[in-house]
Each structure stands twice: as structure tokens, then as C-alpha cells.
Amino acid sequence: MRGEPLGGPLALNAGLTQQLVRMSNDPKRTYLVVVDDSAEARVALRFAARRAAKTSGRIEVLGIVEPQDFVQFGGVQAAIEEEQRLRIEGVVSAAIGEILDESGVEATIIIQQGEGVRAVRDYVGERPDIAALVLGAAPSGNPGPLVSSFCGTDAGKLPCPVMLIPGSLDDERLEQLS
């Protein structure tokens, strides 16, 4: 399929004729945001929603239910995990409601069970359409396990860029940056 050129040549050398072309059936750019009940996760979600709105993209919001320590009785462990799953679903739903109303972007909520870093790595690895992983960093102190991993020991191992959003950014600054 052939698209229409969006602008002039990409190369500085006039002899090269490559041009940036938008294909009419291109899938929307997808920003994956990992959300928990932290303030920095909400800032990251706001950034991703604004970025998606400006790029005609969409967001996927990933909530992770961490495995519980072993409990002697399986029924008790299952009840604890279900309670945690419901709490995460509530946190994710509450976080995206207002933001999606503001931005009007398309969003999908995904709840995964497992250890955080592995769940994100596996999810992103299965999804070649993810344009960027958007993470919020705590305003001070430990930035969080996902930020520490994907911007530290696992930096460069994901098949997409990682956008690290400082949790201290206000709405005005987020609008300027997105």
C-alpha cells in the first residue's frame, strides 16, 4: 500500500530520496503504562494519555497482581490473591477514568498476575505494537522496582523505548513535555 508523503526528504543529502510516509492502515501507536496506587503512576498515566492524544495513539494500562507468600491453606491464599486482584482493578479503573475523559484516547486495561518486572518484560515481549513503556519514578528516594530494573540492570533489553516520567511533574509541565 502506498501512502502520501508527509514532508520533504529525510536525508540532508539531496541525492537521497527517502521520505517519511504515513500509511493509512498503520496501527495506532500504543503506550503501555504500569499503574499501581502510587502518585507517580498517575503522573505517568497522565503523560501517556496526553502523548497518545497528540500522536493519535492509544494506551494500555497494566495492573500487576503480585504473588502472595505461601499460605498453608490454598483457599486462604486464593482469597487473598482475589482480594488483591480486585484492589488492583479498582486502582486502575479509578486512575484512568478521569484521565481518559480529559484526553479522549482509546485505552485497554490489562491485569496480569506475577512478579512485576517479569510480568512487564513478558507482556512487552509478546506485543510488537507497543511503542513505549511509560513508567513513573517516585519524586524522591527509591524510584521503584520497575524503574530500577528497566532503567538499570535490564536497560536496553526491551524491544521498545522506556519513558521515565518524574512523579514530581505538575499538569502544566506534563502538557509542555507531552
Short mmCIF file of all heavy atoms in Angstrom, two decimals, residues 2 13 76 85 122 129 173 175:
data_model
loop_
_atom_site.label_atom_id
_atom_site.label_comp_id
_atom_site.label_asym_id
_atom_site.label_seq_id
_atom_site.Cartn_x
_atom_site.Cartn_y
_atom_site.Cartn_z
N ARG A 2 0.52 2.22 -0.73
CA ARG A 2 1.32 3.43 -0.87
C ARG A 2 0.65 4.58 -0.12
O ARG A 2 -0.54 4.81 -0.27
CB ARG A 2 1.47 3.76 -2.33
CG ARG A 2 2.39 4.88 -2.57
CD ARG A 2 3.33 4.52 -3.71
NE ARG A 2 4.10 5.69 -4.03
CZ ARG A 2 5.35 5.84 -3.65
NH1 ARG A 2 5.96 4.90 -3.00
NH2 ARG A 2 5.99 6.93 -3.94
N ASN A 13 21.39 14.98 2.55
CA ASN A 13 21.97 14.88 1.22
C ASN A 13 20.85 14.89 0.19
O ASN A 13 19.98 14.03 0.19
CB ASN A 13 22.79 13.59 1.14
CG ASN A 13 23.48 13.42 -0.20
OD1 ASN A 13 23.10 14.04 -1.19
ND2 ASN A 13 24.49 12.59 -0.21
N VAL A 76 -7.28 -19.98 51.51
CA VAL A 76 -6.96 -18.68 52.09
C VAL A 76 -6.06 -17.90 51.12
O VAL A 76 -6.28 -16.71 50.87
CB VAL A 76 -6.27 -18.84 53.46
CG1 VAL A 76 -5.77 -17.49 53.97
CG2 VAL A 76 -7.20 -19.50 54.45
N ARG A 85 -6.36 -8.78 43.54
CA ARG A 85 -6.72 -8.56 42.15
C ARG A 85 -7.85 -7.51 42.05
O ARG A 85 -7.78 -6.60 41.22
CB ARG A 85 -7.15 -9.87 41.49
CG ARG A 85 -7.56 -9.74 40.05
CD ARG A 85 -7.93 -11.11 39.48
NE ARG A 85 -8.23 -11.01 38.09
CZ ARG A 85 -7.34 -11.01 37.10
NH1 ARG A 85 -6.07 -11.11 37.39
NH2 ARG A 85 -7.71 -10.90 35.85
N ASP A 122 7.55 -9.89 30.02
CA ASP A 122 6.85 -10.89 29.21
C ASP A 122 5.77 -10.24 28.36
O ASP A 122 5.61 -10.56 27.18
CB ASP A 122 6.23 -11.97 30.10
CG ASP A 122 7.28 -12.87 30.74
OD1 ASP A 122 8.46 -12.80 30.35
OD2 ASP A 122 6.90 -13.63 31.66
N ASP A 129 3.56 -4.23 18.95
CA ASP A 129 2.90 -2.95 18.68
C ASP A 129 3.08 -1.93 19.80
O ASP A 129 2.66 -0.78 19.65
CB ASP A 129 1.41 -3.17 18.42
CG ASP A 129 0.70 -3.81 19.60
OD1 ASP A 129 1.26 -4.75 20.20
OD2 ASP A 129 -0.43 -3.39 19.92
N ARG A 173 3.56 21.31 33.35
CA ARG A 173 4.82 20.79 32.80
C ARG A 173 4.58 19.53 31.97
O ARG A 173 5.20 19.35 30.93
CB ARG A 173 5.81 20.51 33.94
CG ARG A 173 7.17 20.13 33.48
CD ARG A 173 7.88 21.28 32.77
NE ARG A 173 9.21 20.86 32.42
CZ ARG A 173 9.82 21.18 31.30
NH1 ARG A 173 9.24 21.97 30.43
NH2 ARG A 173 11.03 20.74 31.05
N GLU A 175 1.96 18.88 30.22
CA GLU A 175 1.41 19.34 28.93
C GLU A 175 2.52 19.84 28.02
O GLU A 175 2.53 19.53 26.83
CB GLU A 175 0.38 20.45 29.18
CG GLU A 175 -0.28 20.94 27.92
CD GLU A 175 -1.10 19.90 27.18
OE1 GLU A 175 -1.64 18.98 27.82
OE2 GLU A 175 -1.17 19.97 25.93
#
